[in-house]
């Protein structure tokens, strides 16, 4: 038997071997442009997801593709952990912490998928960092409270009465419906002459108006007489006489047919800016110099502007504050009680305790022991 001791590789030879392994790994990657990778990813995702989900990923990841182009990153095999960090720092300038997490989580999923087509080095997705949120942060992203919503509606009723934009705001604030549900409404889904006036929300994926929860999300939502008055005037006097590409009569319509989701977002961005309804800017900006005040494509850059979702969150919270049982809110808004508690209910613990106390007092005056 040989008594020779195995030789230990010299440091130089170890470095050479590591370089060789790195070169082999790099050579095994398929140079893929960011735009092409995103296209393939979205095509793959479209097989299992709703169009709205695919569009959301397209929007979020579009920022990453644009950033790669600006940085001269022509193919994803050039990406490093440092690049991913620098992108996060760049996006952080325009996002709150919850939106930053959403953006970076989407990027992590995308980078992990890119590994399956050999576009990036193995394990790179683990280098995508995003903030950690507790439940409170996650639930309280942004909310349009009832007072602000009423201010906006009052302004629209006075200066934009029965326009498509006004009706859009009426529908969103009156029903708490999701953006996709509002866009999906046809004129025939508005039932003003029923015993209880309402709108009907339907899942019609074959004619380009799916709703989030598909058939289980279909429902009737009662609306007030005041809302009916505005909608009636819109239908009689101001709604464009158009059909969409499938021959349906959209409730929310422009001269080109059914409104798009981006159009609804623009309506919400536009009128949620305080300066748009004659209020003083809370951000000490000069409207003459503020791009969010003068450029429609930049309305979203106003720190006070919101997307449609905070309207829904504010609506649900207002119902809960009014003492509407969570089960009824759940049915009306097509969202589970658990999700309401985690993502929509922005009442404080003090508010919740007081409401429990009042409810228990109403049924016997012995509520304090059970609050």
């Amino acid at each position: 038997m040989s008594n020779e001791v195995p030789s230990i590789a010299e440091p130089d030879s170890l470095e050479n071997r590591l370089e060789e392994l790195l070169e082999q790994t790099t050579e095994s990657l398929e140079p893929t442009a960011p735009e092409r990778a995103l296209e393939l990813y979205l095509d793959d995702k479209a097989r299992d997801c709703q169009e709205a989900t695919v569009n959301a990923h397209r929007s979020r990841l579009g920022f990453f593709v644009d950033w790669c182009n600006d940085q001269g990153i022509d193919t994803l095999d050039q990406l490093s952990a440092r690049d991913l960090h620098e992108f996060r720092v760049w996006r952080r300038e325009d996002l709150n912490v919850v939106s930053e997490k959403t953006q970076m989580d989407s990027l992590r999923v995308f980078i992990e998928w890119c590994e399956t087509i050999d576009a990036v080095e193995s394990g790179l997705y683990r280098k995508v960092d995003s903030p950690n949120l507790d439940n409170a942060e996650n639930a309280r992203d942004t909310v349009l409270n009832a007072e602000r919503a009423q201010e906006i509606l009052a302004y629209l009723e006075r200066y934009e009465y029965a326009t498509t934009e006004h009706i859009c705001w009426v529908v969103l604030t009156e029903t708490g419906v999701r953006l996709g549900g509002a866009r999906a409404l046809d004129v025939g889904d508005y039932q003003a002459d029923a015993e209880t006036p309402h709108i009907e929300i339907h899942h019609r994926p074959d004619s380009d108006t799916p709703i989030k929860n598909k058939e289980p999300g279909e429902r009737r939502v009662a609306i007030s007489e005041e809302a009916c008055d505005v909608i009636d005037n819109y239908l009689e006097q101001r709604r464009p006489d158009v059909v969409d590409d499938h021959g349906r009569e959209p409730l929310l319509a422009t001269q080109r047919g059914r409104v798009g989701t981006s159009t609804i977002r623009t309506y919400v961005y536009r009128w949620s800016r305080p300066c748009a309804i004659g209020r003083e800017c809370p951000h000490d900006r000069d409207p003459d110099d503020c791009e969010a005040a003068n450029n429609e494509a930049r309305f979203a850059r106003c720190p006070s502007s919101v997307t449609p979702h905070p309207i829904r969150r504010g609506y649900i919270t207002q119902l809960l504050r009014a003492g509407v049982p969570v089960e009824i809110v759940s049915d009306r808004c097509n969202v589970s009680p658990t999700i309401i508690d985690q993502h929509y209910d922005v009442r404080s613990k003090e508010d919740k305790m007081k409401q429990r106390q009042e409810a228990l007092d109403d049924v016997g005056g012995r509520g304090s022991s059970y609050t």
Side-chain angles (χ1 to χ4, degrees), residues 141-264:
D141 179 8
T142 310
V143 61
L144 187 79
N145 63 46
E147 292 76 14
R148 267 191 76 194
Q150 288 303 315
E151 280 189 351
I152 294 166
L153 287 170
Y155 183 92
L156 293 173
E157 181 157 355
R158 182 171 183 179
Y159 297 105
E160 299 285 336
Y161 184 76
T163 60
T164 301
E165 297 191 40
H166 185 198
I167 299 304
C168 181
W169 271 88
V170 167
V171 169
L172 292 174
T173 56
E174 178 81 10
T175 68
V177 70
R178 296 180 179 90
L179 183 156
R183 179 180 179 272
L185 292 171
D186 287 349
V187 172
D189 296 330
Y190 166 59
Q191 300 292 324
D193 297 328
E195 182 177 351
T196 300
H198 63 271
I199 60 171
E200 297 181 356
I201 301 171
H202 294 282
H203 176 60
R204 301 180 177 114
D206 294 339
S207 51
D208 193 34
T209 58
I211 60 174
K212 181 173 182 180
N213 291 330
K214 304 181 180 180
E215 284 83 2
E218 295 186 335
R219 62 201 185 278
R220 294 179 176 182
V221 181
I223 57 177
S224 66
E225 292 183 5
E226 292 79 8
C228 288
D229 288 341
V230 180
I231 296 173
D232 287 342
N233 281 304
Y234 165 72
L235 293 176
E236 292 170 6
Q237 302 175 23
R238 307 202 68 167
R239 179 190 173 275
D241 185 17
V242 296
V243 296
D244 66 10
D245 294 338
H246 302 276
R248 292 165 49 193
E249 292 185 302
L251 179 65
L252 298 178
T254 69
Q255 294 295 342
R256 295 183 295 277
R258 188 179 300 275
V259 297
T261 54
S262 61
T263 301
I264 293 177

Side-chain angles (χ1 to χ4, degrees), residues 7-16:
S7 62
I8 300 175
E10 294 295 326
D12 284 348
S13 61
L14 285 174
E15 287 182 11
N16 291 337

Side-chain angles (χ1 to χ4, degrees), residues 69-134:
N69 290 335
D70 290 342
Q71 300 301 310
I73 298 173
D74 300 321
T75 56
L76 292 179
D77 57 299
Q78 301 172 8
L79 274 178
S80 67
R82 182 187 179 95
D83 292 324
L84 296 172
H85 174 72
E86 289 182 352
F87 170 74
R88 180 186 175 188
V89 172
W90 176 71
R91 283 300 288 143
R92 187 184 293 161
E93 296 176 1
D94 296 323
L95 301 172
N96 60 36
V97 66
V98 178
S99 296
E100 179 191 345
K101 178 172 177 57
T102 300
Q103 185 111 122
M104 299 310 295
D105 287 349
S106 294
L107 179 61
R108 182 187 294 111
V109 173
F110 172 62
I111 295 297
E112 185 174 11
W113 180 89
C114 286
E115 290 186 19
T116 67
I117 62 169
D118 296 325
V120 299
E121 66 180 70
S122 178
L124 183 63
Y125 76 94
R126 297 189 180 91
K127 306 294 179 62
V128 180
D129 291 327
S130 66
N132 293 318
L133 303 179
D134 60 27

